Amino acid sequence: MSSKARHAIVIGGFVAVVGAAIYPIIIAPMMNPKPWKEIQKETRKTIDQQSVQPGGMRVWSDPFKPRPDK
C-alpha cells in the first residue's frame, strides 16, 4: 500500500470518528429538537427564574416587544 493511500485512510478514519462523535451531540438534536425541548421543560419546571438571575437583572424577554415599564 502506498504512502498516499495510507494517509488517506488515516485521515478518512479520523473524519469518520469525529463525525460519529459529533452526530448525537450536535446533529441529532438539530434535526429533531422536540424531545430535547420536552426534557428542558420538565427539568426547568421547578426553577424560579427570578431567584437565579445574577445581579438583579430582568429575566430574558423578547427584545422587540415594547417593555411594560416604559
Side-chain angles (χ1 to χ4, degrees), residues 11-32:
I11 291 172
F14 180 74
V15 169
V17 167
V18 169
I22 285 178
Y23 180 79
I25 299 168
I26 297 173
I27 297 171
M30 283 177 33
M31 293 179 70
N32 188 12

Side-chain angles (χ1 to χ4, degrees), residues 2-68:
S2 71
S3 176
K4 288 183 181 181
R6 233 179 305 171
H7 287 298
I9 290 173
V10 168
I11 291 172
F14 180 74
V15 169
V17 167
V18 169
I22 285 178
Y23 180 79
I25 299 168
I26 297 173
I27 297 171
M30 283 177 33
M31 293 179 70
N32 188 12
K34 190 172 182 178
W36 303 102
K37 288 182 180 182
E38 294 297 324
I39 291 169
Q40 285 183 349
K41 194 182 297 182
E42 185 65 31
T43 9
R44 295 178 181 177
K45 191 186 318 182
T46 59
I47 297 174
D48 178 28
Q49 287 187 342
Q50 291 292 341
S51 66
V52 294
Q53 280 299 106
M57 296 173 67
R58 293 186 302 130
V59 176
W60 185 88
S61 60
D62 186 359
F64 300 105
K65 184 179 176 183
R67 288 178 34 183

